[in-house]
Amino acid sequence: MPVFLSNPKNRLRLRAALIAVAVSSVSLAPSPGYAQSEAGPRAEGRVSGVVVNASGDFLRGAEVRVEGSDIVGVTDGDGRFTLQRVPAGTQQLSISYIGFETGHETVEVGTSAAAEVKVALRPRTTDTAGDIVVSRSRPIAESEEAALQLKRASTSLVDVIAADSAGRFPDQNIAAAVSRLPGVSVGRDQGQERYISLRGSPASWTTMAFDGVNVISPAGRETRFDTIPSSIASQTVIRKAVTADMPGETVAGNINIVTRSPFDYPGLKASLDGGYGYNDLGQGKQYNVSGFLSGRFANDTIGVLVGGSRYERDMVTDNFENSWEIAPEDQEPGGQNRIWNAKAQNKLYRLKRSNTSFSGRVEWRPDSDNKVFFSSIYSQFRDDELRNAWVFDLDQDAKKTSSSKVGTTTGYADIRTGNTPMRGTLYGAEIESTLNSNSSRQSIFTNTLAGEHEMDTWKIKWRLNYTRADDRSKPPFQSSWSSPTDFTKRPTLVYDFTDPNLSRVQLFNTVRNANGTYSAGAARPYISPTELQFLSMTRNRQLDRTNAYTGKLDIEHSLELFGANTVFQFGGEYDKRTKTSRRTVLEVTPATLAAAGLASPTQGDISIDTPYKGKLPLGYGFKYFSSGLGTALFDKYVAAGAAQIQKDTSQKNDYRVTEEVIAGYAMGTTYFDWGNIVYGARIERIKNTGSALSMTNSGWMPTVVSNSFVSVYPSIHVNWDINRNMKLRLSGNTGAARPDYDQMRPNFSYNDTDQIVSGGNPKAKPERAKGVDLYFEWYMPSRGFFSVGGYYKDLKDILYDVELTQFGSDVLNSGGIDRSDYRYSTIANGGGGHIKGIEFAFSQPLEGLARSAGLPDWAQGFGIQTNLTLNDSKATTPDGRTTDLPGASPLIYNISGYYERYGFSARVSYQWQKAYLDAIGSGDIIGDTYWANVARLDLSLRYSINDNIQLYLDANNLTNEAGIRYQGSYSRPIEHELFGRRYLAGVRLNF
C-alpha cells in the first residue's frame, strides 16, 4: 500500500472523492436519441477545420456543433477545431461567434480520413438596407467580442481579457488589465497595480500560469502581477471555478496568460508600438516600446515568433505616515483611551520603474493532428528609488506624566501642557532620517517544451517547464542619521493632525529657560544638511531565488457514456520548487570610521541643490541627496577598510525551502443537447523541507524541518444552455492554499530592545476552502451581455500575520536573558470563516437602440460596460476575534463608457473599491489596519489612420486619487501617498 494511503483519513478522503465522481457519472441520465442501435455500433469519423472572419483572421473560441447532436467543439488559437466521433454521412455544422452571423456548413463524414472545412463568418452589424457595414478599426468591439465568445464557450466559470486585432491591451501590466473585470480587486504600490484578489479572497489564493503551466512568482505565493507586461499576452483567462485538472493550490482562481503563437496569424505578422508621456507630479517622463514579429516557414509547418517590450516611468510621491499608540507616558485620567501619534514622518520618493520583457516561440506542426513548441519568456520589473525619509520621533525621551514637572520634558502625551492627540507642541523633538538609494528587481524566466497530439478519439498534451523566479535587492547604499541628544540642538515641533489628508508639522528653535522649562524660539523652517549625526551606512545584497521544475501530462479520450458524448480526461503533474534566500549586509558606523582614522560624514557630503519635486506642504525645507555621491562615499569607506559585515544578519535571514508535489486527477466532461457537466477529483501529495539557522544557547545551529500530507480535491460543474443565448452555471469545488516559503522557514531572530522574536512557523497548516458558485449569463443581441451570480466559500485554518503574546520556547535564551516571554511575530492559523457575495456584469453597445430611434450614423457608436461585486467575509483570528478577511473589499464596481466610429475610439473608465481590512491589530482600542476607499478615472483615445497605423493617448488617475491606509478610524491615517496623473501618447504600427 502507498505511504499516503496508510493513513485512514487519507483513504477516507480518496474514497469520498471517487464516490463523488461515480455519482456524478451515474447521474447522467441516458438519452434515447443518442443510444446505439441494436444492430451494432454506428460508423463514425472526424471533422476538422478552421474558422476565420471576412478578412481571413482566425477566430478563437468559435463554437462548432453538429446540428441535431451533442457533439460540439471550440476553435483554438489558430482558429482550428476537431470534432470526434461524428456519425458517418452527410452532416450539417453550425458555427457561432458573438458579433457574427451563425455560419452553416455541410460536410461529408467518412470513416477513413477526417473531413476538412474552412468557414468564413460574416459580421452581424447591418445598416437599414441590410448591407454589411465595416466601420474601419474597432478595437473595443473586437476585444469585447473575443472575450465574450471565449467566456460563452468555456465549460467552467471564466472571465477573459482579449487583445484587439492590433494585439493591444488597454493597460501596461496584467494586474491593471485584470482589475477591470467583475470580482477583481487589486493591491497597489506607489499607485501601480501589483496584487490581484479574486472575489474577496487573499491575494495569495490567486495563482498565475503561462499557457496552462502554473508559474511561481518572485514574491512567492502572493503573485506580483506588475512583473508581467500585458504586451506578451494574446489573451488573459481568469478561471474562478477550480476544475480537477488545475493544481489544488488554486483556491480563489487562476490567471492564465496565453502567449502569442506564430500560428495565431495567417502569415507574416509584425507590430510595433511606441509611446511617450509624462507624470504631472514631478514632471517625470515615461515611455513605452513594444513589438513582435511572427512568420511561418517550410510550407507552413514551422512558425517562429519573437517579441519584446520596455516600459519606463520616472515619478515622485507625496507621502506622510503616522504611528499610533496608547502612550504609556500618559498617566493622566482617561489616558488608557487616548491615542497618540508616536512618530510622524515623510517618505519622499524619486522613482524610476520599468518593465522589460523578451519572448520567443518556435512551433512545429507537421500536420493538423500534431504540434510541438518551445517557448521562452523573460520578464523583469525593476524599481530604482531614492528616498528622503524624515521621521519626527515624537515619543523619544518622553517621560511619564506621573514623574515629571510640567514644561521640563518634551511634552509628549502630556495633556497638562494643553497638548491633545491631534494638536500640540513638543520641545526638543528628535529627527531621524534615512537617505536610501535602493534598487530591486523581480524577474521571471520561464521555458516550456510542449506537445499536443490527436489520434482518432485520443488526444495527448504534455508540458515540461523550468522557471527561475528572482527577487533581487542591490541597493547602492542606505544611510541613517539622527538629532543630537542636546534638546537645544533639536527643534521645537508644533503638530496638527486634525486633517487626515495632511499631517502638519512646523519647526522652531528650542529655548531652555532659566527655570528649567522649555519654550519655542524663532522659526526653523529648514532641516540643515549638517545638523543630524551620522549613525550608519549599509549596502544590502539579497537574492531570493526559486527554481521550479514541472512535468505535466494530460490525456483525453472521446467516448459515449450513457448515450451522451463524453470527453474523459486524466493525467498527472510533478512539481519541485526550491526557494533559497541569501542576504549579506556591509555596514559602516562611527566606530568603524574612527578605527580607520576617518571622520564621520554629514548629510551635506551627499546633498544636491535640486528643488523639491512634490506638492505636499511639508512645513519645512530639506535637500535631496545624490545616489552617485552616496555610492562614491560608501566605496571610499570600503577601500579604506572602514566597512564590516553586519553581525548575524545572514544567519538570521538565510534559508532554503523545498516543496515537492505529486498529483494525479481524473475528470469527465459529458455533453448533452442542453449543455454539459464537468466532474472529477484531484489527489496531491505534498512534501516540504525547510532548513535554516536558529540561535540557541550553543550559538547558531542548523535547523531542518520536514512534513508531508495528502489532499483530495473533488469538483463538479454543471453548464445548462437555457437557450441559444442564455446559460446557467453551477459548480462546487475545493482547494487549499499552502503557507508561503518564507513563512515556513525554520529560523528565528530577536530584538532585545523591543523584546520581540520574529521568524517563520513550520507548523502552519494550509488554508482550506470549499466553495459553490451559481451564475446566470445572457449573451444579448448586438454584443450585449448580462450576468448575475452568487458565490460562497467555507474556510478553515485561515492564516494571519500576527504578534503572539509569547514566543513560548527557551531555544533563544542566552547570556542570562530569558526570551521565552518575548512577543512572537509570525504567521499562525486562526479559525474558520466564509466568503460570500454577488456579482453583476453588464455591457451593451447602443448602436441598435440608436438606429431604432432614427439617430444619425455618427450617434450609433456609443456603448457602456459595467460590473459590480458585493462581498461579505468573516474569519476568526488566532486571538478569537471575528473580523473581515484581509484583502476582501465589501464593494467593488467598474463603469466605462465608450464611443467607436469611423476609426476613432474613446473609453472613459472609473473604478471604485470600498475600504477593506489590510491586517489585524493587537485587539486594543486603536483597531485594525485598513486600506481606505480607492478610485481611479482613466481615459483612452485611439484613431486608426488606416489598417496599419493607429494613434493613441492614454491618461491615468485623472482624479489624482491617494493611496491611504488607516488604523481603526479614517481620522488616524498611517500612510497617505499621492502619485499624480499620467499621460502617454504614441503610435501603433501593424502589418
Side-chain angles (χ1 to χ4, degrees):
M1 177 181 295
V3 174
F4 62 85
L5 291 180
S6 61
N7 187 323
K9 291 184 178 180
N10 293 334
R11 293 200 301 271
L12 181 60
R13 291 170 183 162
L14 179 58
R15 189 178 301 118
L18 295 176
I19 291 173
V21 175
V23 169
S24 301
S25 301
V26 172
S27 66
L28 307 177
S31 177
Y34 300 113
Q36 293 179 0
S37 69
E38 295 181 1
R42 69 186 182 189
E44 298 174 340
R46 286 194 302 159
V47 178
S48 298
V50 64
V51 181
V52 298
N53 62 16
S55 302
D57 298 324
F58 299 131
L59 294 178
R60 172 185 293 173
E63 288 183 299
V64 184
R65 181 182 292 272
V66 178
E67 293 186 2
S69 79
D70 54 17
I71 301 173
V72 62
V74 178
T75 58
D76 58 16
D78 58 347
R80 289 199 63 83
F81 68 90
T82 299
L83 302 177
Q84 306 280 7
R85 305 182 61 255
V86 181
T90 302
Q91 299 292 342
Q92 187 80 4
L93 305 181
S94 65
I95 304 95
S96 60
Y97 193 97
I98 290 174
F100 289 80
E101 299 287 347
T102 299
H104 299 279
E105 191 78 15
T106 302
V107 296
E108 292 294 329
V109 182
T111 57
S112 56
E116 285 283 341
V117 297
K118 182 175 183 178
V119 182
L121 298 184
R122 293 160 55 87
R124 183 173 289 137
T125 306
T126 60
D127 65 9
T128 54
D131 297 326
I132 299 297
V133 175
V134 179
S135 185
R136 295 174 64 177
S137 173
R138 304 179 308 140
I140 297 175
E142 290 159 357
S143 59
E144 184 72 4
E145 287 171 358
L148 288 178
Q149 180 59 39
L150 289 163
K151 180 180 179 70
R152 184 171 75 171
S154 173
T155 56
S156 64
L157 184 62
V158 303
D159 283 307
V160 181
I161 297 178
D164 61 35
S165 63
R168 181 178 177 84
F169 276 80
D171 299 281
Q172 294 294 339
N173 70 48
I174 293 296
V178 171
S179 69
R180 305 180 188 278
L181 293 176
V184 176
S185 60
V186 295
R188 294 178 170 89
D189 180 74
Q190 301 285 355
Q192 187 168 356
E193 294 83 356
R194 172 168 289 179
Y195 300 109
I196 295 176
S197 171
L198 296 178
R199 300 192 301 186
S201 299
S204 58
W205 292 8
T206 302
T207 57
M208 176 178 66
F210 283 96
D211 298 316
V213 178
N214 269 28
V215 172
I216 199 69
S217 166
R221 300 202 198 279
E222 194 169 49
T223 302
R224 284 189 53 167
F225 287 91
D226 58 352
T227 313
I228 314 299
S230 59
S231 60
I232 69 174
S234 64
Q235 64 177 238
T236 302
V237 181
I238 297 88
R239 300 179 67 178
K240 295 180 178 178
V242 180
T243 53
D245 58 338
M246 299 170 63
E249 64 182 342
T250 304
V251 178
N254 175 265
I255 311 293
N256 184 29
I257 300 162
V258 181
T259 61
R260 294 187 178 93
S261 163
F263 287 87
D264 289 347
Y265 311 101
L268 183 67
K269 180 75 171 180
S271 178
L272 181 64
D273 185 327
Y276 188 79
Y278 73 98
N279 301 274
D280 68 345
L281 183 60
Q283 300 298 301
K285 307 303 180 185
Q286 63 172 336
Y287 71 85
N288 178 72
V289 178
S290 65
F292 69 90
L293 177 65
S294 174
R296 300 189 196 176
F297 311 94
N299 197 27
D300 277 352
T301 60
I302 297 177
V304 178
L305 184 146
V306 294
S309 68
R310 169 77 176 181
Y311 172 67
E312 184 176 297
R313 175 172 56 159
D314 286 318
M315 58 179 289
V316 301
T317 58
D318 282 340
N319 162 287
F320 67 84
E321 299 184 13
N322 298 312
S323 179
W324 304 93
E325 69 169 4
I326 305 292
E329 294 85 0
D330 186 355
Q331 301 291 302
E332 302 306 303
Q336 68 275 14
N337 295 316
R338 281 189 288 270
I339 302 173
W340 298 85
N341 188 357
K343 283 184 172 61
Q345 66 175 309
N346 295 110
K347 292 180 181 177
L348 307 172
Y349 293 93
R350 291 167 288 159
L351 299 167
K352 178 180 289 186
R353 289 188 160 180
S354 63
N355 285 87
T356 305
S357 74
F358 301 99
S359 60
R361 180 163 171 152
V362 178
E363 193 163 334
W364 178 45
R365 297 195 179 186
D367 52 51
S368 61
D369 293 333
N370 295 278
K371 71 176 181 181
V372 177
F373 69 86
F374 175 76
S375 68
S376 184
I377 300 169
Y378 176 79
S379 178
Q380 182 193 78
F381 173 83
R382 179 167 175 169
D383 186 359
D384 296 305
E385 66 176 37
L386 306 179
R387 189 185 76 184
N388 282 71
W390 306 102
V391 183
F392 302 96
D393 197 346
L394 309 183
D395 66 347
Q396 179 67 34
D397 296 318
K399 299 287 182 65
K400 292 183 178 180
T401 57
S402 59
S403 60
S404 62
K405 294 182 180 179
V406 176
T408 60
T409 63
T410 65
Y412 174 71
D414 192 348
I415 62 172
R416 299 172 303 169
T417 66
N419 288 342
T420 72
M422 293 301 175
R423 282 185 176 174
T425 301
L426 302 179
Y427 302 106
E430 181 180 57
I431 301 177
E432 298 173 351
S433 175
T434 56
L435 308 181
N436 295 345
S437 177
N438 296 320
S439 179
S440 63
R441 304 168 194 180
Q442 291 75 37
S443 64
I444 294 176
F445 180 46
T446 183
N447 306 270
T448 301
L449 176 65
E452 298 180 11
H453 313 279
E454 294 189 20
M455 298 169 286
D456 294 326
T457 59
W458 293 85
K459 184 174 183 179
I460 299 175
K461 297 172 60 176
W462 54 272
R463 300 284 189 272
L464 299 174
N465 176 271
Y466 165 70
T467 296
R468 188 184 73 199
D470 285 351
D471 189 351
R472 187 188 302 269
S473 178
K474 299 177 63 178
F477 70 92
Q478 298 172 320
S479 63
S480 59
W481 316 74
S482 181
S483 295
T485 57
D486 186 344
F487 274 27
T488 61
K489 294 183 179 180
R490 297 179 180 180
T492 288
L493 185 146
V494 176
Y495 63 88
D496 184 349
F497 306 136
T498 55
D499 183 356
N501 296 306
L502 180 61
S503 182
R504 290 181 178 273
V505 296
Q506 291 179 288
L507 307 182
F508 300 85
N509 287 331
T510 300
V511 177
R512 184 178 178 85
N513 302 313
N515 62 358
T517 61
Y518 294 96
S519 61
R524 186 177 171 179
Y526 183 71
I527 299 177
S528 167
T530 59
E531 70 176 270
L532 302 186
Q533 296 178 339
F534 172 73
L535 298 180
S536 69
M537 289 188 79
T538 58
R539 180 170 288 168
N540 174 29
R541 300 288 185 180
Q542 183 171 352
L543 173 62
D544 290 355
R545 169 166 291 176
T546 304
N547 286 301
Y549 300 87
T550 297
K552 185 177 181 183
L553 176 66
D554 300 286
I555 301 175
E556 295 181 9
H557 178 49
S558 297
L559 70 158
E560 192 172 276
L561 182 64
F562 298 106
N565 188 46
T566 297
V567 176
F568 179 67
Q569 185 174 333
F570 62 95
E573 183 171 345
Y574 174 79
D575 292 283
K576 185 174 183 179
R577 300 166 179 168
T578 302
K579 182 168 185 176
T580 57
S581 181
R582 297 290 180 264
R583 181 177 179 182
T584 302
V585 175
L586 195 64
E587 69 175 357
V588 175
T589 66
T592 64
L593 289 173
L598 299 174
S600 292
T602 68
Q603 290 186 335
D605 293 328
I606 59 175
S607 296
I608 54 178
D609 291 327
T610 301
Y612 175 50
K613 294 177 176 290
K615 297 180 181 179
L616 190 70
L618 297 176
Y620 60 90
F622 70 97
K623 279 197 171 186
Y624 283 123
F625 70 93
S626 162
S627 179
L629 291 176
T631 302
L633 183 63
F634 194 92
D635 290 342
K636 170 187 170 182
Y637 293 152
V638 172
Q644 64 183 10
I645 300 295
Q646 194 173 75
K647 184 181 179 182
D648 294 338
T649 296
S650 297
Q651 292 87 337
K652 291 177 182 178
N653 294 280
D654 293 357
Y655 66 88
R656 176 188 176 94
V657 175
T658 298
E659 177 182 66
E660 186 178 51
V661 182
I662 301 174
Y665 76 95
M667 185 174 77
T669 305
T670 300
Y671 295 89
F672 302 92
D673 54 356
W674 53 263
N676 58 74
I677 300 180
V678 184
Y679 45 92
R682 185 182 188 90
I683 183 169
E684 293 184 345
R685 180 182 185 273
I686 297 98
K687 181 179 180 181
N688 298 311
T689 302
S691 60
L693 295 175
S694 294
M695 174 64 79
T696 69
N697 293 329
S698 303
W700 291 102
M701 300 293 291
T703 305
V704 179
V705 178
S706 295
N707 66 350
S708 63
F709 56 93
V710 173
S711 296
V712 179
Y713 308 105
S715 62
I716 184 168
H717 307 261
V718 180
N719 303 286
W720 176 28
D721 297 331
I722 302 173
N723 56 40
R724 184 176 179 275
N725 297 314
M726 295 182 181
K727 284 181 177 287
L728 190 67
R729 301 185 189 269
L730 173 65
S731 69
N733 49 81
T734 56
R738 301 188 290 275
D740 211 339
Y741 302 105
D742 62 335
Q743 295 168 342
M744 295 186 292
R745 58 189 172 93
N747 60 348
F748 307 103
S749 60
Y750 57 83
N751 186 308
D752 285 329
T753 302
D754 296 332
Q755 294 192 347
I756 188 169
V757 173
S758 303
N761 184 358
K763 297 180 181 179
K765 298 181 292 185
E767 302 168 297
R768 298 189 177 275
K770 299 177 182 178
V772 62
D773 307 284
L774 178 62
Y775 278 72
F776 168 76
E777 299 172 357
W778 180 17
Y779 298 85
M780 298 183 291
S782 302
R783 301 195 326 271
F785 175 73
F786 171 78
S787 75
V788 58
Y791 54 89
Y792 180 88
K793 284 188 183 296
D794 181 69
L795 311 175
K796 292 183 178 180
D797 298 324
I798 301 169
L799 289 166
Y800 286 89
D801 290 318
V802 296
E803 187 177 285
L804 303 178
T805 56
Q806 280 191 331
F807 177 56
S809 173
D810 60 2
V811 298
L812 300 183
N813 294 352
S814 63
I817 301 176
D818 181 2
R819 299 182 177 91
S820 62
D821 290 333
Y822 282 13
R823 303 187 314 279
Y824 183 23
S825 177
T826 187
I827 189 167
N829 295 99
H834 71 262
I835 304 172
K836 60 183 178 181
I838 302 176
E839 285 182 3
F840 299 88
F842 173 74
S843 66
Q844 180 64 67
L846 302 179
E847 182 177 7
L849 181 63
R851 186 184 300 116
S852 300
L855 298 179
D857 183 74
W858 65 265
Q860 298 176 19
F862 293 96
I864 187 172
Q865 297 170 331
T866 184
N867 58 72
L868 167 70
T869 302
L870 302 172
N871 186 72
D872 174 74
S873 67
K874 288 294 180 290
T876 303
T877 66
D879 60 3
R881 291 191 296 132
T882 299
T883 70
D884 296 336
L885 197 67
S889 177
L891 175 61
I892 307 166
Y893 68 82
N894 292 269
I895 183 168
S896 67
Y898 64 85
Y899 179 83
E900 193 163 58
R901 214 68 172 170
Y902 315 119
F904 173 76
S905 64
R907 186 199 302 262
V908 178
S909 302
Y910 183 77
Q911 299 176 305
W912 195 83
Q913 183 172 320
K914 189 174 177 60
Y916 62 89
L917 180 67
D918 178 49
I920 63 172
S922 57
D924 56 27
I925 68 169
I926 302 178
D928 300 323
T929 299
Y930 290 84
W931 277 104
N933 301 342
V934 63
R936 290 290 186 275
L937 179 64
D938 301 326
L939 171 67
S940 175
L941 304 176
R942 303 282 183 272
Y943 180 69
S944 296
I945 297 175
N946 53 44
D947 291 341
N948 305 118
I949 303 175
Q950 182 187 80
L951 306 178
Y952 66 86
L953 171 66
D954 293 330
N956 299 98
N957 193 26
L958 290 174
T959 52
N960 192 26
E961 295 288 337
I964 301 171
R965 284 192 302 149
Y966 61 87
Q967 194 162 10
S969 166
Y970 188 83
S971 63
R972 293 193 293 274
I974 61 173
E975 182 178 10
H976 186 291
E977 283 190 321
L978 284 168
F979 322 101
R981 303 167 183 86
R982 305 195 313 270
Y983 306 93
L984 184 74
V987 59
R988 177 89 179 186
L989 306 178
N990 197 45
F991 298 96

